[in-house]
Amino acid sequence: MITREMIDRINFLYHKSQTEGLTEEEKEEQKRLRQEYVKEIKERVRRELESIKYAENSCNHCGHDHNHHHHHHRH
C-alpha cells in the first residue's frame, strides 16, 4: 500500500542521495521502498487493464460492426 509517508520518505531519501549521500541502511531502505512502490503501481496498472479488457469484451457482443457482412449483388 502506497502511503503519503512512503512517498515523503522516497522523496526525502532521493533528495538526500543527491545532496549529502545515503548511509548503507538508507540505501537499503530506499531500495525496499522503491520495490514496494513499483510493485504497487504494477498491480494498479494490471487491475486497470483488466477492467478495460472486461469492458471491451462485453462490448464485443453488442452486434456492432455488421456493415462488413453485406453481400453485394452484382446485376
Side-chain angles (χ1 to χ4, degrees):
M1 181 72 192
I2 296 173
T3 60
R4 183 72 243 166
E5 292 78 21
M6 191 175 165
I7 305 274
D8 289 343
R9 190 67 186 156
I10 288 172
N11 288 333
F12 169 79
L13 288 170
Y14 174 74
H15 290 299
K16 191 177 178 201
S17 72
Q18 297 298 299
T19 51
E20 59 199 87
L22 301 177
T23 65
E24 286 309 308
E25 292 87 61
E26 286 172 332
K27 283 179 189 167
E28 276 303 305
E29 185 188 359
Q30 186 182 45
K31 200 170 77 178
R32 271 202 322 276
L33 284 167
R34 282 185 172 165
Q35 282 171 346
E36 185 63 34
Y37 184 77
V38 167
K39 200 177 83 184
E40 177 78 18
I41 297 294
K42 280 181 179 167
E43 273 295 301
R44 278 188 198 176
V45 169
R46 194 176 58 77
R47 285 199 298 269
E48 281 293 305
L49 288 176
E50 279 178 357
S51 60
I52 291 168
K53 205 164 63 193
Y54 292 135
E56 282 178 351
N57 285 346
S58 60
C59 182
N60 287 344
H61 306 297
C62 72
H64 66 292
D65 228 1
H66 278 266
N67 308 346
H68 300 299
H69 303 297
H70 285 309
H71 298 291
H72 296 292
H73 298 294
R74 292 200 170 81
H75 297 295

